[in-house]
Amino acid sequence: MRGDLHRLRTMAEDLDAGRRRADAARATALARYAEDVCAAIHHHHSREDEIVWPVIERSAGAAVDLADLSDDHSELDPLLERVRVAARAFAGTGGAGGTAELAAALRTLSDLVDEHIEEEERRIFPVIEKYVAAADWKAMEKSLRGGDPRFELAWADRYATPDEMAHIRRLAGPVLSLLLILVRPGQRRRQRLVFGS
């Protein structure tokens, strides 16, 4: 999430500053990509609220307070919608306008997500390791599925470390290799259109 938010934010800031240009095709592709990132973030935080937080609270009891992290989640949906609206407006101009609002919306969202994830990792990971039983965690992971598997698989392919990817392959089995072969060409074309890389 953070990697693509940073890339989208940089692209929007570069467009706004005139360092890069977007024709109608790039503007449309960027707006769709922003929509996909926003959908993935919404899916992630909704699943935390509905599935992950209850498991942690049942396991850790009074040792954990998730109120401020949940408050962050309530701030996310309006920001996600602000990005979606700005991205659609930018696409609607064919890349000729709306860059300032898109850059500002992505900057605000990116900053909140960065702060939120860093706080989660700092506070929640130790609680999970200390209090949540491995069997409970595995059962919870199975219920987290959803979202757009092609988009999220492309994320894993782009950002996972070799060790993380090996773990994912062990869990997913040989079908994952086939799916990656099928997904990569389209995702690479999409990346080139949106980001020029």
Side-chain angles (χ1 to χ4, degrees):
M1 285 182 281
R2 294 172 73 187
D4 271 359
L5 270 178
H6 292 181
R7 292 177 80 202
L8 283 167
R9 173 183 176 167
T10 298
M11 173 60 83
E13 289 171 345
D14 286 352
L15 289 166
D16 190 45
R19 292 185 294 268
R20 303 206 48 194
R21 297 175 50 83
D23 60 11
R26 175 173 276 174
T28 299
L30 191 148
R32 286 186 185 142
Y33 202 85
E35 293 258 0
D36 285 345
V37 169
C38 287
I41 292 169
H42 174 76
H43 173 75
H44 175 83
H45 87 74
S46 296
R47 299 314 242 175
E48 282 183 340
D49 288 337
E50 297 163 5
I51 298 168
V52 179
W53 286 176
V55 168
I56 294 171
E57 288 173 331
R58 274 193 310 273
S59 300
V64 67
D65 180 5
L66 301 170
D68 55 335
L69 293 172
S70 293
D71 290 346
D72 286 351
H73 287 179
S74 66
E75 289 180 47
L76 277 173
D77 282 330
L79 289 176
L80 293 169
E81 185 59 19
R82 180 180 170 201
V83 168
R84 288 182 184 108
V85 167
R88 288 180 203 131
F90 169 67
T93 71
T99 57
E101 175 54 25
L102 180 58
L106 284 165
R107 188 170 29 257
T108 302
L109 177 61
S110 179
D111 287 346
L112 177 62
V113 168
D114 281 345
E115 179 184 309
H116 177 78
I117 290 175
E118 288 168 10
E119 185 71 6
E120 273 184 353
E121 290 173 355
R122 185 182 68 75
R123 287 184 35 216
I124 301 304
F125 285 8
V127 170
I128 292 168
E129 289 175 353
K130 184 173 183 178
Y131 294 101
V132 179
D136 291 342
W137 190 258
K138 284 184 181 183
M140 185 258 329
E141 280 182 326
K142 289 180 182 176
S143 63
L144 289 177
R145 292 184 174 88
D148 181 346
R150 291 170 304 164
F151 189 72
E152 293 183 13
L153 180 59
W155 264 3
D157 190 37
R158 179 172 183 82
Y159 293 109
T161 66
D163 287 344
E164 291 167 336
M165 204 62 189
H167 177 73
I168 292 168
R169 285 178 191 277
R170 277 193 304 275
L171 292 174
V175 172
L176 178 67
S177 295
L178 177 60
L179 290 173
L180 285 170
I181 289 168
L182 295 173
V183 168
R184 277 182 184 143
Q187 288 301 322
R188 287 181 179 151
R189 280 191 301 277
R190 188 177 196 199
Q191 296 283 323
R192 281 191 302 274
L193 182 56
V194 174
F195 300 108
S197 58

